[in-house]
Amino acid sequence: MIEHEVIIVGAGLAGSWTAMVAGQRGVKDIGVLSKIHPLRSHSGAAQGGIAAALNNARPVAGTGPRGPLEPVPQGEDPPDSPELHMFDTIKGSDWLGDQDAIEIMVNEAPEIIYAYEHMGCVFSRLPDGRIAQRRFGGHSAPRANYAADYTGHVLLHTIHEQALQHGVEFYSEWYCMDLLVEDNVCRGVVAMDVLTGEIHTMRAKAVMFGTGGYGRAFEVTSNAYANTGDGVAIAYNAGVPLMDMEFVQFHPTGLYEHGILMSEACRGEGGYLTNSEDERFMERYAPDKMELAPRDLVSRSEQTEIDEGRGIGPDGKGIYLDLRHLGAEKIKARLPQIRELAIDFVGVDPIDDPIPIQPTAHYSMGGIPTDADGQVIANADGQVIADADGTPVVGFYAAGECACVSVHGANRLGTNSLLEASVFGRRAGHAIADFVQNGAELHPVTGDPAERNRQRVARLMDGAGSESVEAIAQELKQTMTDDCGIYRDKERLAQAMQHVGEMQERFKDARVMDKSKRFNTDVLAAFETEHLLTFSEVIVAGALAREESRGAHYRTDFPKRDDEGWLKHTVAHKGEPGEGPRLSDKGVNIDWDRFPPQERKY
Amino acid sequence: MTTNGSRPRMVTVRVQRFNPDVDEKPYFDEFQVELTPAKTILDALHEIKTAQDGSVTYRRSCRHAICGSCAMYVNGKNILVCNTPLRDKIDEEGTVTIRPLPYLPIIKDLVVDRSSFWEQYERVKPWLIPSADVPEKEFRMSSEEVAALNKAETCIMCGACYSACQVIAMNKRYVGPHALLKAFLRVLDPRDMAPSERLADVGDQDGVFRCHTIFNCIDACPKDLDPTKAIETLRKLAQKRQAFEAARRDRQRMLNEPIASS
Ligand SMILES: Cc1cc2nc3c(=O)[nH]c(=O)nc-3n(C[C@H](O)[C@H](O)[C@H](O)COP(=O)(O)OP(=O)(O)OC[C@H]3O[C@@H](n4cnc5c(N)ncnc54)[C@H](O)[C@@H]3O)c2cc1C
């Protein structure tokens, strides 16, 4: 048995901030688990930027929404503000974001950027040495702070390196497979040391999940192999509910046939989207914001073009992203990674030719519900687990993409999630330090949780079944893409619901090929697939129940937003075996005087 | 290359196998994979693992050359398999040979033990040592300073350079190109408060003076970085540390001031 004061699962931006801050606050004994080396975490793949109203850059007056930018001269009125950032985020969220949490995020944003800068992040700069800023979709001011087009990489390395200084113990390549909650009190986790294959019960006074997103449930995705939503599924299995899972963001520009992201910075820097008729079709969907309308809208517009026969590529399922007019110099300076990826993967140099792209599953708005301090909340009314007195899941915290605070509501704006992971990761670090320093205790666990999980592995290795893990995973991804994708309707969702249920049944007979203990990635893939099946059912159930269209969730049979019926979060608890998720709801925090719901037009 | 249009072209992928718990020594397994234009070497491995032999073991995550997981030794060269098209690595016999990064202990198949690599990384104190006295907003940096740091900042710690380095092959006490590149990043960063200590640390016989300037690291780097040049810079700075220290003190006095345009 391993014991720590605090166990953090996940070493992306969220987990690393929590670890660093708790360490700085004097928490002595922190263990951080990551199924891949911390520096391999998917935060490092983020390209475009991190939002904050620093007021360093502004549009040149009179040049319109796509004109050039210039430094804000010292002493002049700041054109941007946290208030404006807040409004943009609320509007982007289609009014489903909780406004109290959004306010905290936008207010702490500038401070977070300066903290990164002081810790050594190499941001791109304006000529006077301040941090450079660019435009991003749905933001009405240039407030994306960036390091060329590898912003996430720079942030992740910086924060990991700072965390190393604080005596944090890293369990690199340890796979968390179970969360231990009894009587609303979190007691620890169960994890496998991938190298040896040994499974350990790990107890802690506080557990934090920063396990990232779950784009891997879809066929075409920008997400890493590792983004299988483990934490979300593990928490759900332990009785913690999930919130707003039906809101999955499809990014408009994944590389054709690969799904690999071409950052929104391409359009932020001025790139065009064109169809097979060489037409900038966004003119018809968002005449004002054009290519810089928010992602849900742009992806749907692309899908409509494709469905109506104006797509490009052999199967007509692509669209062109045209950067040629930006010129070689700008492309090389601002989008070097994009250029490299386009050359490597589709053989196109964006300086000379348009890049073939398609919508790609990208970001998970839903997740483990928390308050603004990372404390996991569980009851429908914002209280904690579904017990009578509504106390929190004591000692359980979450932040980053696996959590749902909710700042993104029905649709996230680009550059807001690196910010979210940082702001709420940091706040969780403080909350955990307070919790531990105010006398939290280690609680006993019933039975032998490690042994229970060893049995799960044994079943995968020794059982008599013959289902292939990969075949089920492929089928699931296809189902989620076809029947629970950009456009949804009742019939297809009902079909998906049934289909996912059947696959869950079949998974009970799944077997792995690799029977060895050492570094068994075949077993890990099986656990990951089981997790995909677990939360996919919740995505579909939420999408089926929500009879309206809001943000990233679009029902062709209910194409309008319905504030009367659906201005509320979906909360899903795990039901009895065979029953499916139990849905309830939770109110949205809205400041009715400042930001009452409006029609969302771009 | 001729095809009759219907018969798929198959490629033989040779994968080095080794599980130290059961195998005495490494051996090769051969797999047949269909060649398609968009297929990367990582796609081929994934296909092999999921459809042919689930025990084939390798690391991967992001799929686009930024997480640093999947550096391997393919047809005699360290590369990332995720961004390398399969078609680019087929030799005259129609074969692609995949082995783990050389000179590192093998954990299983294509997975190597990078412990010494990470130890050296931590040894150079990769974190910036910031001033206790930070401005309210950002430190000011010129675009030239940023450009110089980008040549080290974009390192993804994949280990391709480390495992290609002849000095590392013989002596694991050598700090290595990846960690020296990191040291370079911090030494050249005008915001770092301990460049001089860093130079002293890496300026010894296990550090910059151990590099034999064989340039293997440059050839191996999938991100087109130049650790050798960084090491040379550090070497020069180490030799004239006092002048460097004085220059850094001057720079830091101005670090909160706007950059004057020249
Ligand atoms: C290609 C791409 C580009 C993006 N660009 C931007 C951008 O420009 N701006 C922006 O704001 N956002 C961007 N995003 C979104 C943003 O990167 C993520 O939302 C954010 O980085 C998530 O951080 P995180 O800390 O929550 O999770 P991650 O960084 O994904 O970290 C998850 C961690 O959990 C660990 N983990 C997971 N499961 C387990 C388990 N079972 N056991 C042990 N450890 C586990 C992993 O090892 C990892 O360390 C982008 C996303 C993608 C996919």
Side-chain angles (χ1 to χ4, degrees), chain A residues 9-16 33-38 40-51 136 151-152 156 174-177 191 210-213 222-224 226-231 234 260-261 263 295 361-363 399-403 412-421 528 531, chain B residues 64:
Chain A
V9 184
L13 292 190
S16 299
L33 277 65
S34 179
K35 66 177 178 177
I36 49 185
H37 186 280
R40 317 291 184 217
S41 301
H42 203 56
S43 287
Q47 299 168 349
I50 173 165
F136 242 73
T151 310
L156 178 66
W174 280 54
Y175 184 80
C176 174
M177 44 181 36
T211 51
S222 67
N223 282 201
N227 287 15
T228 51
D230 296 325
I234 291 167
I260 289 166
L261 194 72
S263 169
R295 292 176 178 174
H362 183 58
Y363 185 82
E401 196 168 337
C402 71
R412 168 183 76 106
L413 295 187
T415 68
N416 264 351
S417 60
L418 292 176
L419 179 63
E420 177 205 14
E528 290 171 340
H531 294 148
Chain B
H64 63 267

Side-chain angles (χ1 to χ4, degrees), chain A residues 326-346:
Chain A
L326 303 182
E329 200 183 322
K330 196 165 181 183
I331 293 175
K332 284 183 188 165
R334 306 270 179 84
L335 303 166
Q337 190 186 174
I338 292 303
R339 176 163 181 250
E340 210 177 285
L341 293 173
I343 294 173
D344 287 346
F345 285 93
V346 291

Side-chain angles (χ1 to χ4, degrees), chain B residues 21 30 40 64 78 85 106-107 115 141 155 162 170 182 198 203 206 208 219 221 250 254:
Chain B
D21 293 338
E30 291 191 356
T40 63
H64 63 267
N78 289 350
I106 298 173
I107 290 175
S115 304
M141 280 171 76
C155 168
Y162 185 80
M170 287 166 353
K182 189 55 106 172
R198 292 180 191 279
D206 288 331
V208 289
D219 291 339
C221 180
D250 280 349
M254 312 284 288

Side-chain angles (χ1 to χ4, degrees), chain A residues 44-369:
Chain A
Q47 299 168 349
I50 173 165
L54 300 190
N55 280 305
N56 290 353
R58 70 178 182 192
V60 174
T63 58
R66 303 183 61 89
L69 302 176
E70 64 181 10
V72 178
Q74 218 83 62
E76 279 197 26
D77 276 350
D80 196 8
S81 66
E83 177 101 354
L84 195 53
H85 186 183
M86 181 170 176
F87 175 73
D88 291 341
T89 303
I90 293 168
K91 182 176 174 188
S93 81
D94 221 347
W95 271 269
L96 195 67
D98 286 312
Q99 298 186 3
D100 50 351
I102 294 174
E103 184 156 32
I104 288 172
M105 180 176 83
V106 298
N107 282 335
E108 291 186 13
E111 184 187 313
I112 279 278
I113 308 301
Y114 296 136
Y116 273 121
E117 203 276 337
H118 297 156
M119 291 188 295
C121 258
V122 184
F123 286 105
S124 297
R125 301 284 168 155
L126 295 171
D128 67 5
R130 283 178 292 170
I131 295 171
Q133 300 189 289
R134 64 178 156 218
R135 291 187 173 94
F136 242 73
H139 291 280
S140 55
R143 66 170 78 96
N145 307 285
Y146 60 95
D149 57 1
Y150 34 80
T151 310
H153 170 82
V154 173
L155 300 181
L156 178 66
H157 282 239
T158 302
I159 192 80
H160 174 70
E161 286 157 1
Q162 292 293 326
L164 281 174
Q165 284 185 82
H166 294 284
V168 173
E169 184 172 347
F170 283 93
Y171 290 82
S172 183
E173 303 189 315
W174 280 54
Y175 184 80
C176 174
M177 44 181 36
D178 211 349
L179 175 71
L180 306 175
V181 179
E182 295 174 42
D183 306 323
N184 267 351
V185 177
C186 179
R187 290 135 200 272
V189 298
V190 177
M192 178 196 283
D193 175 356
V194 178
L195 175 60
T196 61
E198 292 299 338
I199 291 174
H200 302 266
T201 299
M202 306 178 83
R203 289 169 64 208
K205 298 173 182 172
V207 172
M208 184 271 183
F209 271 16
T211 51
Y214 43 85
R216 278 273 138 192
F218 294 83
E219 181 65 29
V220 175
T221 176
S222 67
N223 282 201
Y225 275 109
N227 287 15
T228 51
D230 296 325
V232 168
I234 291 167
Y236 183 70
N237 285 332
V240 176
L242 300 179
M243 192 161 95
D244 289 343
M245 292 291 287
E246 62 270 32
F247 295 100
V248 177
Q249 179 169 83
F250 291 84
H251 193 291
T253 56
L255 263 188
Y256 181 60
E257 288 190 320
H258 293 272
I260 289 166
L261 194 72
M262 298 282 102
S263 169
E264 190 172 304
C266 298
R267 283 169 290 136
E269 295 289 356
Y272 299 151
L273 294 172
T274 58
N275 60 18
S276 63
E277 291 164 13
D278 212 14
E279 174 198 21
R280 272 179 79 191
F281 55 85
M282 284 311 295
E283 273 159 17
R284 278 184 278 117
Y285 303 92
D288 199 24
K289 292 263 170 153
M290 295 289 290
E291 281 87 354
L292 283 178
R295 292 176 178 174
D296 54 333
L297 210 162
V298 181
S299 289
R300 274 197 298 279
S301 309
E302 288 180 357
Q303 194 60 46
T304 303
E305 292 297 305
I306 291 165
D307 292 347
E308 292 178 358
R310 293 185 294 278
I312 59 106
D315 59 1
K317 288 191 174 170
I319 290 289
Y320 280 129
L321 170 63
D322 196 345
L323 304 181
R324 289 174 296 183
H325 56 286
L326 303 182
E329 200 183 322
K330 196 165 181 183
I331 293 175
K332 284 183 188 165
R334 306 270 179 84
L335 303 166
Q337 190 186 174
I338 292 303
R339 176 163 181 250
E340 210 177 285
L341 293 173
I343 294 173
D344 287 346
F345 285 93
V346 291
V348 167
D349 185 339
I351 292 173
D352 304 320
D353 292 293
I355 312 169
I357 51 98
Q358 69 185 124
T360 186
H362 183 58
Y363 185 82
S364 331
M365 269 75 74
I368 304 167

Side-chain angles (χ1 to χ4, degrees), chain A residues 36-37 39-42 44-45 47 54 56 74 114 116-131 147-148 150 153-154 157-158 160-162 164-165 173 195 216 221-227 257-261 337 340-341 343-345 347 468 470 474 513-522 525 528, chain B residues 19-21 38-40 42-43 46 49-69 82-83 85 87 106-108 111 114 117-118 121-122 126-130 134-143 146 149-150 153-158 182 185-186 189 191 222-224 257-259:
Chain A
I36 49 185
H37 186 280
L39 291 180
R40 317 291 184 217
S41 301
H42 203 56
Q47 299 168 349
L54 300 190
N56 290 353
Q74 218 83 62
Y114 296 136
Y116 273 121
E117 203 276 337
H118 297 156
M119 291 188 295
C121 258
V122 184
F123 286 105
S124 297
R125 301 284 168 155
L126 295 171
D128 67 5
R130 283 178 292 170
I131 295 171
Y150 34 80
H153 170 82
V154 173
H157 282 239
T158 302
H160 174 70
E161 286 157 1
Q162 292 293 326
L164 281 174
Q165 284 185 82
E173 303 189 315
L195 175 60
R216 278 273 138 192
T221 176
S222 67
N223 282 201
Y225 275 109
N227 287 15
E257 288 190 320
H258 293 272
I260 289 166
L261 194 72
Q337 190 186 174
E340 210 177 285
L341 293 173
I343 294 173
D344 287 346
F345 285 93
S468 139
E470 174 72 5
Q474 281 310 327
M513 291 184 258
D514 189 349
K515 313 281 184 188
S516 62
K517 278 194 87 172
R518 173 186 281 263
F519 217 96
N520 192 328
T521 52
D522 212 18
E528 290 171 340
Chain B
N19 178 349
D21 293 338
K39 195 173 285 179
T40 63
L42 178 60
D43 294 335
H46 182 75
K49 181 171 183 69
T50 53
Q52 303 188 37
D53 184 345
S55 69
V56 170
T57 303
Y58 52 91
R59 289 191 179 103
R60 86 286 181 262
S61 188
C62 77
R63 302 176 299 151
H64 63 267
I66 193 73
C67 79
S69 300
C82 69
N83 69 345
R87 58 171 194 272
I106 298 173
I107 290 175
K108 186 173 169 184
V111 176
R114 286 187 178 93
F117 175 84
W118 294 121
Y121 163 77
E122 289 194 32
W127 49 85
L128 182 97
I129 297 173
V134 294
E136 192 189 326
K137 296 186 170 180
E138 69 270 62
F139 288 115
R140 302 296 184 105
M141 280 171 76
S142 72
S143 295
V146 168
L149 299 185
N150 281 160
E153 181 78 62
T154 46
C155 168
I156 58 173
M157 292 288 157
C158 67
K182 189 55 106 172
L185 173 72
R186 296 309 176 205
D189 193 319
R191 297 167 295 183
K223 296 308 238 186
D224 293 328
E257 309 275 319
I259 303 290

